[in-house]
Amino acid sequence: MRCRIVGAPVQDGAGRMGCEMGPSALRTAGLVSVLAELGHEVEDWGAVEKAVARPVAHGNLALKALPEISAWTAVIAETAYAASRDAMPIFLGGDHSISAGTVSGVARRAAERGRPLFVLWLDAHPDFHTLDTTTSGNLHGVPLAYASGQAGFKGYFPDLPEAVDPARICAIGLRSVDPAERRAITEADVTVHDMRAIDEHGIAPLLRAFLARVEKENGLLHVSLDVDFLDPSIAPAVGTTVPGGATFREAHLVMEMLSDSGLVSSLDLVELNPFLDERGRTATLMVDLTASLMGRRIMDRPTRSHSGSL
């Protein structure tokens, strides 16, 4: 498979500095060489360059860096659209605000192909705030609401060529959800499996049911992996640590099941803050998880071919 690596060194959407170093840390941890060793053709497109931010004012005075995130979203969306033409793009964040651009860009590509886009959101948070409901003002908390066409973004963020159907979104690993987000994701019909559901049922049957839907509809699948999906005991390099996250084996199982499915067409790796890491252990884990998704395995098992992006 041809993979395109796209760095998105954005930290304006987070509450603390450091995420802009994420793409470099993932490259240093060996992402490109690991993908090549697995037999993939790798093109490294370097880093997206932010466009000039235009003045944007909003009634919610808590919002931080709205002009900057709007500008980032526009350029990342165009890059995601281009990178997904004949390859699987892997986007290196950067905070989770980059997904406003990555998801909207690949959604546009999926629509052109006449195939529905599904989104698997692996995160402690749903990131389903709108510009009106966020109280922190940190815009890494809004990308999924924006990309799924929720109200309140018009005139502030770039117009959406194609919104993702919220019913085709599955969020797994949630354990920190604000009341406004809880109401919004329920009303939007997003599939949610919080950590209690994982504790009760195990992660495999929950993911298996979602993948069956993607396959049934001949969909493309965008996976967005936030470091805080993982328990902070194994992945400390994130500014939004929430105890009780996915274990090492749960995370690898998710990636192995995604690999077996052959459905993944694009990937985000976000919220890695190397300043908070311990000798690169989180960056190394994120690279290892990507390797599991891209075909590294202990024993050979029958899989579908990795054809989701083509």
Side-chain angles (χ1 to χ4, degrees), residues 56-302:
V56 183
H58 189 278
N60 183 353
L61 300 182
L63 295 180
K64 302 167 187 172
L66 177 58
E68 289 78 12
I69 295 300
S70 180
W72 274 119
T73 299
V75 69
I76 291 171
E78 285 298 322
T79 305
Y81 172 72
S84 59
R85 181 176 65 85
D86 56 357
M88 175 180 169
I90 300 176
F91 304 101
L92 314 182
D95 66 64
H96 221 156
S97 69
I98 75 164
S99 297
T102 63
V103 176
S104 59
V106 298
R108 176 183 166 197
R109 178 66 67 188
E112 284 189 359
R113 292 180 178 157
R115 297 176 67 181
L117 181 71
F118 288 75
V119 175
L120 178 62
W121 199 259
L122 301 172
D123 198 332
H125 313 85
D127 296 341
F128 214 77
H129 272 297
T130 68
L131 300 181
D132 298 303
T133 64
T134 176
T135 55
S136 73
N138 296 322
L139 294 181
H140 64 176
V142 307
L144 199 53
Y146 165 73
S148 62
Q150 303 306 298
F153 291 93
K154 189 172 180 58
Y156 303 103
F157 271 46
D159 291 340
L160 271 179
E162 190 72 26
V164 176
D165 182 348
R168 292 191 174 114
I169 297 170
C170 179
I172 293 182
L174 301 188
R175 55 196 189 278
S176 178
V177 183
D178 292 336
E181 291 179 297
R182 187 178 298 113
R183 289 190 297 270
I185 59 180
T186 300
E187 292 171 1
D189 200 25
V190 173
T191 298
V192 174
H193 299 306
D194 61 11
M195 288 307 298
R196 174 173 174 171
I198 293 171
D199 290 341
E200 289 185 350
H201 305 289
I203 206 164
L206 306 176
L207 178 58
R208 190 176 294 119
F210 179 64
L211 294 176
R213 290 180 51 207
V214 180
E215 183 173 13
K216 183 178 180 180
E217 294 191 43
N218 191 32
L220 299 174
L221 177 58
H222 179 83
V223 176
S224 196
L225 173 60
D226 190 312
V227 170
D228 71 20
F229 168 70
L230 306 163
D231 191 81
S233 65
I234 60 170
V238 64
T240 51
T241 53
V242 185
T247 66
F248 180 91
R249 271 310 311 159
E250 283 171 335
H252 272 286
L253 177 59
V254 168
M255 297 300 138
E256 291 160 4
M257 290 177 65
L258 290 170
S259 177
D260 291 348
S261 77
L263 295 168
V264 179
S265 54
S266 47
L267 172 67
D268 297 331
L269 303 173
V270 301
E271 293 287 348
L272 176 65
N273 187 333
F275 186 75
L276 303 175
D277 211 354
E278 299 169 0
R279 302 183 67 171
R281 63 187 293 219
T282 309
T284 299
L285 176 54
M286 292 291 278
V287 169
D288 285 344
L289 290 171
T290 304
S292 287
L293 188 152
M294 297 304 295
R296 179 189 286 170
R297 60 191 66 254
I298 299 168
M299 299 290 290
D300 288 335
R301 287 179 173 84

Side-chain angles (χ1 to χ4, degrees), residues 23-39:
S24 294
L26 290 164
R27 288 186 173 96
T28 301
L31 178 63
V32 172
S33 60
V34 164
L35 292 172
E37 289 167 5
L38 289 169

Side-chain angles (χ1 to χ4, degrees), residues 1-4 35-36 38-43 87-88:
M1 170 182 282
R2 179 183 296 120
C3 301
R4 290 203 172 108
L35 292 172
L38 289 169
H40 301 292
E41 177 186 345
V42 184
E43 298 177 4
M88 175 180 169

